[in-house]
Amino acid sequence: MPQMPRTPAGRGYLAIPGPSVMPEAVLSAMHRPAPNIYAGELPEMMPGIVADLKRVARTDGHVAIYIANGHGVWEAALSNVIAPGDTVLVPATGHFGHGWGGMARALGAEAEVIDFGKSSAMDVGRVAEALAADTARRIKAVLAVHVDTSSSALSDISALRAAMDEVGHPALLMADCIASLGCDVFEMDAWGVDVMVAGCQKGLMVPPGMGFVFFNDKAAARRAEMPRVSNYWDWTPRAQPDDFWQYWNGTAPTHHVYGLRAALDMIHGEGIEAVWARHERLARAIWAACDAWSTEGALRMNMAEPKHRSTAVTALRLDPPRATELREWTETHLGLTLGIGLGMAERTDPSWHGYFRLGHMGHVNGHMIMGLLGGIEAGMAALKIPYGAGALAAAAGIIGAVSP
Amino acid sequence: MPQMPRTPAGRGYLAIPGPSVMPEAVLSAMHRPAPNIYAGELPEMMPGIVADLKRVARTDGHVAIYIANGHGVWEAALSNVIAPGDTVLVPATGHFGHGWGGMARALGAEAEVIDFGKSSAMDVGRVAEALAADTARRIKAVLAVHVDTSSSALSDISALRAAMDEVGHPALLMADCIASLGCDVFEMDAWGVDVMVAGCQKGLMVPPGMGFVFFNDKAAARRAEMPRVSNYWDWTPRAQPDDFWQYWNGTAPTHHVYGLRAALDMIHGEGIEAVWARHERLARAIWAACDAWSTEGALRMNMAEPKHRSTAVTALRLDPPRATELREWTETHLGLTLGIGLGMAERTDPSWHGYFRLGHMGHVNGHMIMGLLGGIEAGMAALKIPYGAGALAAAAGIIGAVSP
Amino acid sequence: MPQMPRTPAGRGYLAIPGPSVMPEAVLSAMHRPAPNIYAGELPEMMPGIVADLKRVARTDGHVAIYIANGHGVWEAALSNVIAPGDTVLVPATGHFGHGWGGMARALGAEAEVIDFGKSSAMDVGRVAEALAADTARRIKAVLAVHVDTSSSALSDISALRAAMDEVGHPALLMADCIASLGCDVFEMDAWGVDVMVAGCQKGLMVPPGMGFVFFNDKAAARRAEMPRVSNYWDWTPRAQPDDFWQYWNGTAPTHHVYGLRAALDMIHGEGIEAVWARHERLARAIWAACDAWSTEGALRMNMAEPKHRSTAVTALRLDPPRATELREWTETHLGLTLGIGLGMAERTDPSWHGYFRLGHMGHVNGHMIMGLLGGIEAGMAALKIPYGAGALAAAAGIIGAVSP
Amino acid sequence: MPQMPRTPAGRGYLAIPGPSVMPEAVLSAMHRPAPNIYAGELPEMMPGIVADLKRVARTDGHVAIYIANGHGVWEAALSNVIAPGDTVLVPATGHFGHGWGGMARALGAEAEVIDFGKSSAMDVGRVAEALAADTARRIKAVLAVHVDTSSSALSDISALRAAMDEVGHPALLMADCIASLGCDVFEMDAWGVDVMVAGCQKGLMVPPGMGFVFFNDKAAARRAEMPRVSNYWDWTPRAQPDDFWQYWNGTAPTHHVYGLRAALDMIHGEGIEAVWARHERLARAIWAACDAWSTEGALRMNMAEPKHRSTAVTALRLDPPRATELREWTETHLGLTLGIGLGMAERTDPSWHGYFRLGHMGHVNGHMIMGLLGGIEAGMAALKIPYGAGALAAAAGIIGAVSP
């Protein structure tokens, strides 16, 4: 591979599964002088932001906002409902369930992991079995990742709830929607999710640095029984503040608040259901292209079944080291950055170079996806990676399959 | 056509033939406080800008910079070398030659137009004939448009020079490179061009508001003989200023200067020959797609011969009103704005809706062009406009046809 | 003087008489992708901009907008109403009247200058005498500079009109409001001004690159009689366009249009009369400080009489080379850039270092002016330049002398 | 008080004690597309950022960076070295010591507070007594606030260390430099500080959203003995990461990293000692003005002794409700926002309206401070608040008291 220039000509395209492409409207909203944090526009903006966040999550419950990334809100959520000595059940469908479980352990909890591997959907029956076996009710929460960003597996959270209900287990259902919120369909209240965590940097289209914990009254009741919750993670004053600073337990992330306001305006201007439909249509275009490419050569989608695939991210396999070569080619020659494989192999393992991922979350549309797919095909052509014909035409057909 | 939302989701893409896509580096460079115009960085920046502009134009001659659009530098250039009563010869290959000739008339000159129509290349033989017939040497300049933005016709300026030389006519060769500079190969000195005009908003990737007149010593000698040149248009002090304000005949366009500096850094960072090669490769991808589409249905490139096509803009034909419908569909559904047809029909004429254009100048690369082409194919699919198969695959193949 | 660092700590303050301090709202409005120039928001924005410009100029007449600086609109205005062989009368109150007269000469006109020196107001009686003496009516226009940016002299345009009317001379009254529009009170229609020119980079708070020619029906009638007006300068299609491109005779300065829109929103949000009152109050604070300083040492305002002083710019004198030393000190130590003296002496003349100017136009308020004055006093203290006491307290008193 | 317009004319000035005035260079650096978080510029930038942060803190120790505000790093620091059941000693010199102590309690520790009131310096003798009395060595850390942002009290951390050493108590010395870092002189290693916390939004001039915990090997050893530290707060992998994501325990705050890079460039471009000297000079100018104002009327600085005053923030008293009226006047009429009093009285207590604060931290210079002081004097004049004469002249004299 020749030396990579830092900035190829033309507009860059960061097609990794987060951070996603930042809208100019968001960046512009953040390019502003520091605002007063004691009075005026900024504090007055908060009730609207809280309401609009809940509309994205489809909940009438509560939301606590944190200056934190996804790992931070993992810990925040756990800190409010899991005490040392508690047990959590983790049905893992990729890399991130293990991570969340690990955070619970570091807080003094037991984490029981059901590992579904790296390319399989969650089998809710097995989760139900584990809960049924827990006659002592040691399990306080099920930590379910809605979309695992590493495998691109989509879990059926509604079915998980139904399975839990059937068993009659009182554990909280906690969902990680970091990769899915604002992309894949998610209905917090209708699906019976008790706690949900998300970040701002994927479907919410804001630079990383802010996270959210949504929770319902059942979870609030659990928090009320906790022996101790740290000040900073305590969600209660954040969700029901008397004063502006309590939203943030201290100084607000002023510029991020303006960015989030702009992003929520975009989402609700389009309509959350339209946002979901857009992600679904674009994902189908990507899958159609991948299906065509897969008819020859080694390219394969990680998740075989469409119903188990996220519409926000697609994990792919290729003969190592072709995936890495492809990523390098598109970045070097086109300014198109694809995502690395994550959690599928150790980085030192040669097979690591056989995985890559596409982010298609947030600020994306049809010409961008055609550019992404076209860039990949150009790269495969350049590198003489075998692939089946008709991929781009198929994708264009799906994007064009809307009523004129 | 349903109501068009103002801002479809995802990144917008303005694929019209100017203004072109503005690089973030240029916009950021312009987002700054006003600088001092009497001392410091801004005045010190000018010699480097002048040198770097000449490198883009491939000339050791002179350049005068104007706060003006393309029409402004048309007039500026003429004002320095054409006096009332003089004659100019205009070999027109589309819309803009007529416009430049009209400006000459408004300055009191005669403009003799050789009209090559809207889809044909310049026949330099006919220009030579007209010059040969001008035994009285009334013709003071030939006004040649290098790339006509309306027809996308590329004229062979070097051949024109050769034809003029063969006839031995002393007229100046004046070239309009507004659409081509920084995109199509252009060699001012090697091709014997005496005066060249350009704008900043196409291949130079700066928001509209600045224009350039390059000239050589022969043209400077002509200017010295002019009975009168207005202060503002006079290129002499602009090209050889004693003080910073003279570059601009007054206040400098401060923020544009910073934007231009950033753009020139990008161009020369890539290398002007690499910039040309990139435009050529991307144009060939577009042509390949159009060729494939044209095998069925009505889509046709306006310029039949590849050697007569610009690599910066492509004019296309479609059954009216399909071109307009297609433009509206891609803008509404994809945020992709295609260019209208220009100068091919009156806007009130139904046939107007049968033309459109693609801009592929400046800040463009392979994934963008694949997005552009993919968006068009999606639109044709959506609107059931017939087209031949294999277009996108062909384009991807050309973009990928570079050494890995 | 020690070596000057490029960027002293803290926010810079460019207090020169143009370009003025650019509002963040204007810069943000300009930091945006290129818009479509054929349809949509940009063309639709124009009627509102035209109306709002006229409200600033207090006219029901016409306005032509140019991509040009102040010199450009000087030439544009002249080109529409002054033919070769015509005569213009220039009552000069500083540097710029001579410049405008020079542009008229370069267009083939005669320019008769009445020079009032560099520190005196216009004596309208002498202008009236010159007009009365012109029994042949050779004088076609009086070119009056409302505020001369070099001397900071404010001319009484209303009185000039009255004097012209009294003489009954048919010459057009043309006013240069480049430094004054949006700062000093100006009433185009009420004062009987026929043609007025302005730029965008001072009271209008937009980066340099755009100019305006306002004109009334009398001036339009004169233009109709002109033997020839160049296409680019012709104000008729610009003021009465059939299509968007005619506003600009070609490509619009897209980003400047957005900046101008933001600036006009600021001006009319505050109210033009409130804008004038603010400039007047801030100018009086500056004058009070200068009066106090002047009780000791050599600092003097260039215009002795308050009624002859602009409220947008203040020209000052100091023992050379103290003015230059002061400017260098405030820039080096405070990031505060004061204006150089202009047109008072040759730059090679040692006395050149005895002049400087303050810009207080556009985006200014009380704390900025106190910072400007405080910075000057700090500099005079540092450099041991003698000055009278009480300056800052006097200025603060005037800024505070508003109803709470 | 009449209705307050949202945006008075001219440049706003947020003179509250954090967030501070954001440099345009920082905001511009943050206005950029999302970068790749797996390779390239962003990860490569980190070692330099870490080194430059340590240079600001004057330490060769370690630093962990958090996506968090000041409260977040309070909790982070405690979480690494204080276990449930431990005791911390809090010598409080205003509002924030109590807050930090409260966070320790919420983590299960005991917090012993020595309250020095709201206007007094820390008496290190009393701290030493408390440590000497702790023969059981229950006290694991002394939580000292270097500058209390509410009272503007500056604590002598070096003297505190000496007192601790004299007693021979093994407690860690933990310092809160949230308000002081990059403003007041601070020498982490030379003064023997074991743990130091800071935020990005004051002296470091970056929008709120990032915090820092610096620690030495002694603190690291303590951490190694902790029974449990949560994953997110654990400073070990953040300070010694194997991979980029570990700096952040997850997704990096991409845009803040670029902003911080720009801010560190500014600080080290000027030189940290020059930065301290600038803050000291500007603070003395403010104090001199306050001293003069205080000769008449009720205005008083909260901290009587200069050596106990921060050079980054000044807390002031005035007859209630004059402080609130003054703040409202400067904001409404000048766009100058002063800080509210904090922690001196309940907001519902009428005396609350007798306190206000000035922030003079980070991106400040002499003309800004003169504008701040001039704005206050104008406000006092407008509101007929009595004040002594000569304040502004005194301040200007101090700002000018530098070698030319």
Side-chain angles (χ1 to χ4, degrees):
Chain A
M1 191 67 40
Q3 200 188 353
M4 287 172 51
R6 221 42 181 278
T7 311
R11 201 144 69 160
Y13 184 174
L14 185 73
I16 70 174
S20 58
V21 174
M22 294 297 138
E24 184 56 28
V26 169
L27 294 173
S28 279
M30 296 179 69
H31 194 144
R32 44 159 298 136
N36 194 355
I37 57 172
Y38 295 110
E41 190 180 57
L42 185 71
E44 291 165 14
M45 205 183 270
M46 290 307 299
I49 283 179
V50 164
D52 286 342
L53 281 170
K54 291 181 189 176
R55 288 167 69 199
V56 173
R58 309 282 269 198
T59 184
D60 292 329
H62 316 282
V63 63
I65 315 179
Y66 294 86
I67 307 173
N69 57 21
H71 285 58
V73 289
W74 272 353
E75 181 158 315
L78 294 170
S79 296
N80 277 278
V81 290
I82 301 300
D86 285 349
T87 295
V88 297
L89 181 66
V90 184
T93 57
H95 181 71
F96 288 97
H98 297 279
W100 201 4
M103 292 202 99
R105 283 192 198 103
L107 291 170
E110 298 289 313
E112 225 177 283
V113 176
I114 308 177
D115 192 343
F116 295 101
K118 293 167 175 167
S119 306
S120 300
M122 186 189 299
D123 176 347
V124 298
R126 286 184 56 196
V127 181
E129 282 167 29
L131 291 172
D134 175 35
T135 50
R137 299 312 194 216
R138 290 175 309 99
I139 296 173
K140 301 304 180 198
V142 176
L143 312 188
V145 176
H146 185 215
V147 167
D148 190 290
T149 325
S150 68
S151 62
S152 64
L154 173 77
S155 295
D156 187 338
I157 301 295
S158 181
L160 175 58
R161 170 85 277 168
M164 290 172 70
D165 286 351
E166 202 159 323
V167 176
H169 196 289
L172 294 174
L173 173 53
M174 301 178 70
D176 166 346
C177 292
I178 293 169
S180 62
L181 191 71
C183 308
D184 293 282
V185 176
F186 181 80
E187 299 273 5
M188 178 157 174
D189 289 356
W191 293 358
V193 174
D194 299 307
V195 177
M196 186 268 277
V197 302
C200 66
Q201 76 273 18
K202 305 203 179 190
L204 295 189
M205 308 180 293
V206 176
M210 201 185 254
F212 312 97
V213 180
F214 298 83
F215 58 97
N216 63 13
D217 289 337
K218 180 179 166 190
R222 181 75 57 89
R223 188 254 164 269
E225 295 160 12
M226 287 284 285
R228 189 170 66 229
V229 176
S230 85
N231 260 5
Y232 196 72
W233 292 138
D234 192 357
W235 68 31
T236 313
R238 288 177 184 262
Q240 292 173 314
D242 293 320
D243 204 352
F244 176 63
W245 75 273
Q246 294 178 304
Y247 278 108
W248 313 100
N249 199 349
T251 302
T254 48
H255 291 62
H256 268 75
V257 178
Y258 280 92
L260 179 61
R261 180 64 274 165
L264 290 169
D265 286 346
M266 292 174 71
I267 288 171
H268 293 306
E270 184 179 2
I272 182 65
E273 295 180 2
V275 169
W276 293 338
R278 172 167 51 84
H279 281 84
E280 197 264 344
R281 184 168 59 251
L282 298 176
R284 283 195 297 110
I286 290 169
W287 303 341
C290 292
D291 279 337
W293 285 329
S294 296
T295 58
E296 278 180 56
L299 185 88
R300 295 291 179 275
M301 282 182 276
N302 186 54
M303 299 303 297
E305 289 284 313
K307 69 177 175 183
H308 299 146
R309 291 181 198 144
S310 167
T311 64
V313 51
T314 298
L316 294 154
R317 296 156 179 268
L318 205 52
D319 289 328
R322 302 307 250 163
T324 295
E325 288 173 3
L326 180 62
R327 286 193 302 101
E328 290 180 352
W329 192 92
T330 62
E331 185 160 55
T332 307
H333 290 86
L334 307 182
L336 168 63
T337 303
L338 310 177
I340 59 168
L342 198 73
M344 307 306 255
E346 289 298 309
R347 197 151 182 157
T348 47
D349 180 341
S351 77
W352 188 86
H353 298 285
Y355 301 98
F356 69 111
R357 292 177 298 158
L358 312 181
H360 33 102
M361 41 180 50
H363 195 53
V364 285
N365 59 26
H367 76 75
M368 292 168 75
I369 296 303
M370 291 307 302
L372 167 61
L373 297 172
I376 291 170
E377 182 156 319
M380 292 195 294
L383 297 165
K384 309 207 182 311
I385 297 171
Y387 59 90
L392 301 178
I398 287 173
I399 288 169
V402 290
S403 55
Chain B
M1 191 68 42
Q3 198 188 353
M4 286 173 53
R6 219 45 183 276
T7 312
R11 201 144 68 160
Y13 183 175
L14 185 74
I16 69 175
S20 58
V21 174
M22 294 297 139
E24 183 57 29
V26 169
L27 294 173
S28 279
M30 295 178 71
H31 193 145
R32 46 158 298 135
N36 194 356
I37 57 172
Y38 294 109
E41 190 180 57
L42 186 71
E44 290 164 14
M45 205 183 270
M46 289 309 298
I49 283 179
V50 164
D52 286 342
L53 281 170
K54 292 183 189 174
R55 288 167 69 201
V56 174
R58 309 282 270 198
T59 183
D60 292 330
H62 316 282
V63 62
I65 314 179
Y66 294 84
I67 307 173
N69 58 20
H71 286 59
V73 290
W74 271 354
E75 181 158 316
L78 293 171
S79 296
N80 277 279
V81 290
I82 302 299
D86 284 350
T87 294
V88 297
L89 180 66
V90 184
T93 57
H95 182 71
F96 288 97
H98 298 278
W100 200 4
M103 291 201 98
R105 284 191 197 104
L107 291 169
E110 299 287 314
E112 224 176 284
V113 177
I114 308 176
D115 192 343
F116 295 101
K118 294 168 175 168
S119 308
S120 299
M122 186 189 296
D123 175 349
V124 300
R126 285 185 54 197
V127 182
E129 283 168 27
L131 291 171
D134 174 37
T135 50
R137 299 312 193 216
R138 289 174 309 100
I139 295 171
K140 301 302 178 197
V142 177
L143 311 188
V145 176
H146 184 215
V147 167
D148 190 291
T149 325
S150 69
S151 63
S152 63
L154 173 77
S155 293
D156 186 338
I157 300 296
S158 181
L160 176 57
R161 170 84 276 167
M164 290 172 69
D165 286 351
E166 201 158 323
V167 176
H169 197 288
L172 294 174
L173 173 52
M174 299 176 74
D176 166 348
C177 292
I178 293 169
S180 62
L181 191 71
C183 307
D184 293 282
V185 176
F186 181 80
E187 300 270 8
M188 179 157 172
D189 289 357
W191 292 359
V193 174
D194 299 307
V195 178
M196 187 269 277
V197 300
C200 66
Q201 77 273 16
K202 304 202 180 193
L204 294 190
M205 309 179 292
V206 175
M210 202 185 253
F212 312 96
V213 180
F214 298 84
F215 58 96
N216 63 14
D217 288 337
K218 180 178 166 193
R222 181 76 56 89
R223 188 258 165 267
E225 295 160 9
M226 286 285 285
R228 187 169 69 230
V229 176
S230 86
N231 260 5
Y232 196 72
W233 292 138
D234 192 357
W235 69 31
T236 313
R238 288 178 185 260
Q240 292 173 314
D242 292 320
D243 205 352
F244 177 62
W245 75 272
Q246 294 179 303
Y247 278 108
W248 313 101
N249 198 349
T251 301
T254 48
H255 291 61
H256 268 76
V257 178
Y258 280 92
L260 179 62
R261 179 66 271 164
L264 290 168
D265 286 345
M266 292 174 72
I267 289 171
H268 293 305
E270 184 178 1
I272 184 65
E273 295 179 2
V275 169
W276 293 338
R278 173 168 51 84
H279 281 84
E280 197 263 348
R281 183 169 58 250
L282 298 176
R284 282 195 297 109
I286 291 169
W287 303 342
C290 293
D291 280 336
W293 286 330
S294 297
T295 57
E296 279 182 52
L299 186 88
R300 294 292 180 274
M301 283 182 276
N302 186 55
M303 299 303 297
E305 289 284 315
K307 70 177 176 182
H308 298 146
R309 292 179 198 147
S310 167
T311 65
V313 52
T314 298
L316 294 154
R317 297 154 177 269
L318 204 51
D319 289 328
R322 303 307 252 164
T324 295
E325 288 172 3
L326 181 62
R327 285 194 303 101
E328 290 180 352
W329 192 92
T330 61
E331 185 161 53
T332 306
H333 291 85
L334 307 183
L336 169 63
T337 303
L338 309 178
I340 60 169
L342 198 75
M344 307 305 258
E346 289 298 309
R347 197 150 182 158
T348 47
D349 181 340
S351 76
W352 188 85
H353 298 285
Y355 300 98
F356 70 111
R357 291 176 299 158
L358 312 181
H360 33 103
M361 42 181 48
H363 195 53
V364 286
N365 59 28
H367 77 76
M368 293 169 73
I369 295 304
M370 289 309 301
L372 167 62
L373 297 172
I376 291 170
E377 182 156 318
M380 293 196 294
L383 297 165
K384 311 209 182 307
I385 298 171
Y387 60 89
L392 302 178
I398 287 173
I399 288 169
V402 289
S403 54
Chain C
M1 190 69 39
Q3 198 186 353
M4 286 173 53
R6 221 41 181 279
T7 311
R11 202 144 68 161
Y13 184 174
L14 186 73
I16 70 174
S20 58
V21 174
M22 293 298 139
E24 183 56 28
V26 168
L27 294 173
S28 278
M30 296 178 70
H31 193 145
R32 46 158 298 136
N36 194 355
I37 56 173
Y38 294 110
E41 190 180 57
L42 186 71
E44 291 165 15
M45 206 184 268
M46 289 308 298
I49 284 179
V50 164
D52 286 342
L53 281 170
K54 291 182 189 174
R55 287 167 71 200
V56 173
R58 309 281 270 199
T59 183
D60 292 329
H62 316 282
V63 63
I65 315 180
Y66 293 86
I67 308 172
N69 58 20
H71 286 58
V73 290
W74 273 353
E75 181 158 315
L78 294 170
S79 296
N80 277 279
V81 290
I82 302 299
D86 286 349
T87 295
V88 297
L89 180 66
V90 184
T93 58
H95 181 70
F96 288 96
H98 297 280
W100 201 3
M103 291 201 99
R105 282 191 198 105
L107 291 169
E110 298 288 314
E112 225 177 283
V113 177
I114 310 177
D115 193 343
F116 294 101
K118 293 166 177 170
S119 308
S120 301
M122 187 189 298
D123 177 347
V124 299
R126 285 184 55 195
V127 181
E129 283 168 28
L131 291 171
D134 175 37
T135 50
R137 299 313 192 215
R138 290 174 307 102
I139 296 171
K140 301 303 179 197
V142 176
L143 310 189
V145 176
H146 184 214
V147 166
D148 190 290
T149 324
S150 69
S151 63
S152 64
L154 173 78
S155 293
D156 187 339
I157 300 297
S158 181
L160 176 58
R161 171 84 276 168
M164 290 172 71
D165 286 351
E166 203 159 322
V167 175
H169 196 288
L172 293 174
L173 173 52
M174 301 177 72
D176 166 348
C177 293
I178 292 169
S180 62
L181 192 71
C183 308
D184 293 282
V185 177
F186 180 80
E187 300 272 6
M188 177 157 173
D189 289 356
W191 293 358
V193 174
D194 300 307
V195 177
M196 186 267 278
V197 301
C200 67
Q201 77 273 17
K202 305 202 179 190
L204 294 190
M205 308 179 293
V206 175
M210 201 186 255
F212 312 98
V213 179
F214 297 84
F215 58 97
N216 63 14
D217 287 338
K218 181 178 167 191
R222 180 75 57 91
R223 188 256 167 269
E225 295 161 10
M226 287 284 286
R228 189 171 67 231
V229 175
S230 86
N231 261 4
Y232 196 71
W233 292 138
D234 192 357
W235 69 30
T236 312
R238 289 177 183 261
Q240 292 172 314
D242 292 320
D243 205 351
F244 176 63
W245 74 272
Q246 294 178 304
Y247 278 108
W248 313 100
N249 198 349
T251 302
T254 49
H255 291 63
H256 268 76
V257 177
Y258 280 91
L260 180 61
R261 179 64 273 165
L264 289 169
D265 286 345
M266 292 174 71
I267 289 172
H268 293 306
E270 184 179 2
I272 183 65
E273 295 180 1
V275 170
W276 292 339
R278 172 167 51 86
H279 281 85
E280 197 263 346
R281 182 168 60 251
L282 297 176
R284 282 195 297 109
I286 291 169
W287 303 342
C290 292
D291 280 336
W293 285 329
S294 296
T295 57
E296 279 180 55
L299 185 89
R300 296 290 180 276
M301 282 182 277
N302 187 53
M303 299 303 297
E305 289 283 315
K307 69 177 176 182
H308 298 145
R309 292 179 197 147
S310 166
T311 64
V313 51
T314 298
L316 294 154
R317 296 156 178 269
L318 203 53
D319 289 329
R322 302 306 254 165
T324 295
E325 288 173 3
L326 180 61
R327 286 192 304 100
E328 290 180 351
W329 192 92
T330 62
E331 186 160 53
T332 306
H333 290 85
L334 308 183
L336 168 64
T337 303
L338 309 178
I340 60 168
L342 198 75
M344 307 304 257
E346 288 299 309
R347 197 149 182 158
T348 47
D349 181 341
S351 78
W352 187 86
H353 297 286
Y355 300 97
F356 70 111
R357 291 177 300 157
L358 312 181
H360 34 102
M361 41 181 51
H363 195 52
V364 285
N365 59 27
H367 76 75
M368 292 168 74
I369 295 304
M370 290 308 302
L372 168 60
L373 297 172
I376 291 171
E377 182 156 317
M380 292 196 294
L383 297 166
K384 310 207 183 309
I385 297 171
Y387 59 91
L392 302 178
I398 286 173
I399 287 170
V402 289
S403 54
Chain D
M1 191 69 41
Q3 201 189 352
M4 286 172 54
R6 221 44 183 277
T7 312
R11 200 144 69 159
Y13 183 174
L14 185 74
I16 70 174
S20 58
V21 174
M22 293 297 138
E24 184 56 29
V26 169
L27 294 172
S28 278
M30 297 178 69
H31 193 144
R32 46 159 296 137
N36 194 355
I37 58 173
Y38 295 110
E41 189 181 57
L42 186 72
E44 291 165 12
M45 205 184 270
M46 290 308 299
I49 284 180
V50 164
D52 286 341
L53 281 169
K54 291 182 189 176
R55 288 168 69 200
V56 174
R58 309 282 269 198
T59 183
D60 292 330
H62 316 282
V63 63
I65 315 180
Y66 294 85
I67 307 173
N69 57 22
H71 286 58
V73 290
W74 272 354
E75 181 158 315
L78 293 170
S79 296
N80 278 279
V81 290
I82 302 298
D86 285 351
T87 295
V88 298
L89 180 68
V90 184
T93 57
H95 181 71
F96 288 96
H98 297 279
W100 200 4
M103 292 201 99
R105 283 191 198 104
L107 291 170
E110 299 286 314
E112 225 178 282
V113 176
I114 309 177
D115 192 343
F116 295 100
K118 293 168 174 167
S119 307
S120 300
M122 185 189 298
D123 176 348
V124 299
R126 285 185 56 197
V127 181
E129 283 166 29
L131 291 172
D134 175 37
T135 50
R137 299 312 193 218
R138 290 175 308 101
I139 295 171
K140 301 303 179 197
V142 177
L143 311 188
V145 176
H146 185 215
V147 166
D148 190 290
T149 325
S150 68
S151 63
S152 63
L154 172 78
S155 293
D156 186 338
I157 301 297
S158 181
L160 176 59
R161 171 84 274 167
M164 290 172 70
D165 286 351
E166 201 159 322
V167 175
H169 197 288
L172 294 174
L173 173 52
M174 300 177 72
D176 166 347
C177 293
I178 294 169
S180 62
L181 191 71
C183 308
D184 293 282
V185 176
F186 180 80
E187 299 272 6
M188 179 158 173
D189 290 356
W191 293 358
V193 174
D194 299 307
V195 178
M196 187 269 277
V197 301
C200 67
Q201 75 273 17
K202 304 202 180 192
L204 294 190
M205 309 180 291
V206 176
M210 201 185 253
F212 313 97
V213 179
F214 298 83
F215 58 96
N216 63 14
D217 288 337
K218 181 180 166 190
R222 181 76 55 92
R223 187 257 156 269
E225 295 160 11
M226 286 284 286
R228 188 170 69 229
V229 175
S230 86
N231 260 4
Y232 196 72
W233 292 139
D234 192 358
W235 70 29
T236 313
R238 288 177 184 263
Q240 291 172 316
D242 292 320
D243 205 351
F244 176 62
W245 74 273
Q246 294 179 302
Y247 279 108
W248 313 100
N249 199 350
T251 302
T254 48
H255 291 62
H256 268 76
V257 177
Y258 281 92
L260 179 61
R261 180 64 271 164
L264 289 169
D265 285 345
M266 293 174 70
I267 288 171
H268 293 305
E270 184 178 1
I272 184 65
E273 295 180 1
V275 170
W276 293 338
R278 173 167 50 84
H279 280 85
E280 197 263 347
R281 183 169 59 250
L282 297 176
R284 284 195 296 109
I286 291 169
W287 302 342
C290 292
D291 279 336
W293 284 330
S294 296
T295 58
E296 278 181 56
L299 185 89
R300 295 292 179 275
M301 281 182 276
N302 186 54
M303 298 304 297
E305 288 284 314
K307 70 178 174 182
H308 299 146
R309 292 180 198 144
S310 166
T311 64
V313 51
T314 298
L316 294 155
R317 296 155 177 267
L318 204 52
D319 290 328
R322 303 305 254 165
T324 295
E325 288 173 2
L326 180 61
R327 286 194 302 101
E328 290 180 352
W329 192 91
T330 62
E331 185 160 54
T332 307
H333 290 86
L334 307 183
L336 168 64
T337 302
L338 309 178
I340 59 168
L342 197 74
M344 307 305 257
E346 289 299 308
R347 196 148 182 159
T348 48
D349 180 341
S351 77
W352 188 86
H353 297 285
Y355 301 98
F356 69 111
R357 291 177 299 158
L358 312 181
H360 34 102
M361 42 181 48
H363 195 53
V364 285
N365 59 27
H367 76 76
M368 292 169 75
I369 295 304
M370 290 308 301
L372 168 61
L373 297 172
I376 291 171
E377 182 156 319
M380 293 196 293
L383 296 165
K384 310 211 182 309
I385 297 171
Y387 59 89
L392 302 177
I398 286 173
I399 288 169
V402 289
S403 55

